[in-house]
Amino acid sequence: MRLILLGAPGSGKGTMAADLAREYQIPHISTGDIFRQNIKANTPLGQEANQYIQNGALVPDSLTIAMVADRLEQADCQRGFLLDGFPRTVAQAEALAELLEKRQLRLNAVIELELSDESILSRLSGRRVCATCGRTYNIDSCRPKQDGICDICGGTLYQRDDDKPETIRQRLANYYRQTLPLSDYYEQKNILVRINNEGEVGSSLPAVLSALKERS
Ligand code: ADP
Ligand code: ZN
């Protein structure tokens, strides 16, 4: 199964991605997570990406595309993959299409998670992330069983630097300008599945799974 998850920051991509990756036993490839790991380890890629991420800007396409191309070469992607946070620009989508074409692979579906701006803002400002496994929580709507501790792995929860109000606004603006055009792009290719993700965490998984049944 080869899938892409689209949706604004805070639309629930991370949680949905973790669920789908488990369901189909495919790697969950989050470009945001890969950047954050590189920043933490202070690699050259991390140093370069950090300046953009801190300002709520996108990391340049060339850097991002090379990183994903490299990741998709790894053996665990042979059974498929789920991309979360990539592509984020039409140029990235075109680069991905070329990459897949070369290997005669096709995408099964692109799932777009829809959410109102209001919900996005409240989800992002209350978001907490597990430092160990990346699972996300929300201090208002999706609390961990024990404050500050991940239910799944016991890791410590923290608030991302880029989840500050000014940065959130910038990220949303980027999303509308640079990423939203991808829903038309994939709709024209007849692989877009739109899912309303306003409900509680996890509640739209059944709708996604049933849409994917016809596309596997
Ligand atoms: P969110 O979806 O909540 O914005 P991510 O973890 O996906 O968070 O991404 C965090 C940041 O990493 C983005 O704001 C951006 O700076 C950078 N980033 C992630 N994926 C990409 C991408 N495909 N292209 C460019 N920048 C990216
Ligand atoms: Zn965890």
Side-chain angles (χ1 to χ4, degrees):
M1 189 68 112
R2 284 176 291 274
L3 301 172
I4 291 177
L5 262 185
L6 279 184
S11 59
K13 293 195 300 290
T15 306
M16 178 68 74
D19 291 345
L20 290 175
R22 193 174 331 107
E23 177 74 25
Y24 295 108
Q25 296 289 305
I26 49 178
H28 167 197
I29 301 175
S30 156
T31 43
D33 283 349
I34 302 177
F35 286 133
R36 279 186 291 277
Q37 284 156 12
N38 277 277
I39 291 169
K40 211 169 153 189
N42 203 22
T43 66
L45 174 66
Q47 287 171 4
E48 171 90 31
N50 197 21
Q51 26 177 338
Y52 299 99
I53 293 177
Q54 278 195 335
N55 292 320
L58 292 188
V59 177
D61 283 338
S62 54
L63 210 64
T64 308
I65 290 167
M67 180 179 88
V68 171
D70 196 56
R71 180 65 187 85
L72 292 178
E73 294 276 312
Q74 289 173 30
D76 62 343
C77 292
Q78 262 167 12
R79 340 178 6 128
F81 52 77
L82 184 147
L83 287 168
D84 161 14
F86 182 96
R88 242 174 164 101
T89 63
V90 172
Q92 291 179 10
E94 286 170 347
L96 176 65
E98 207 175 295
L99 223 105
L100 293 176
E101 227 164 83
K102 260 195 218 145
R103 298 204 252 147
Q104 296 187 312
L105 297 175
R106 59 177 190 89
L107 293 167
N108 296 83
V110 177
I111 301 148
E112 179 175 38
L113 301 181
E114 299 184 301
L115 204 74
S116 69
D117 272 7
E118 208 179 61
S119 310
I120 288 172
L121 285 170
S122 83
R123 284 196 191 182
L124 286 177
S125 48
R127 174 157 77 177
R128 298 294 181 272
V129 187
C130 172
T132 308
C133 76
R135 188 81 190 186
T136 54
Y137 297 85
N138 190 289
I139 53 169
D140 308 306
S141 55
C142 179
R143 307 181 66 96
K145 293 198 185 81
Q146 201 184 332
D147 275 354
I149 306 287
C150 177
D151 290 348
I152 296 171
C153 77
T156 308
L157 306 186
Y158 74 103
Q159 179 170 36
R160 276 169 44 177
D161 273 350
D162 61 350
D163 282 345
K164 293 173 296 196
E166 325 81 79
T167 322
I168 290 173
R169 268 190 293 277
Q170 186 57 51
R171 284 160 59 207
L172 271 181
N174 292 343
Y175 172 75
Y176 285 116
R177 196 162 45 91
Q178 295 174 283
T179 309
L180 199 57
L182 290 181
S183 61
D184 286 339
Y185 176 92
Y186 287 118
E187 184 158 47
Q188 279 168 19
K189 298 190 188 292
N190 278 316
I191 51 174
L192 188 73
V193 177
R194 285 204 172 89
I195 299 284
N196 180 309
N197 208 31
E198 283 287 344
E200 269 179 44
V201 178
S203 61
S204 42
L205 182 64
V208 174
L209 293 179
S210 92
L212 289 180
K213 247 185 209 136
E214 300 151 24
R215 292 161 194 267
S216 56

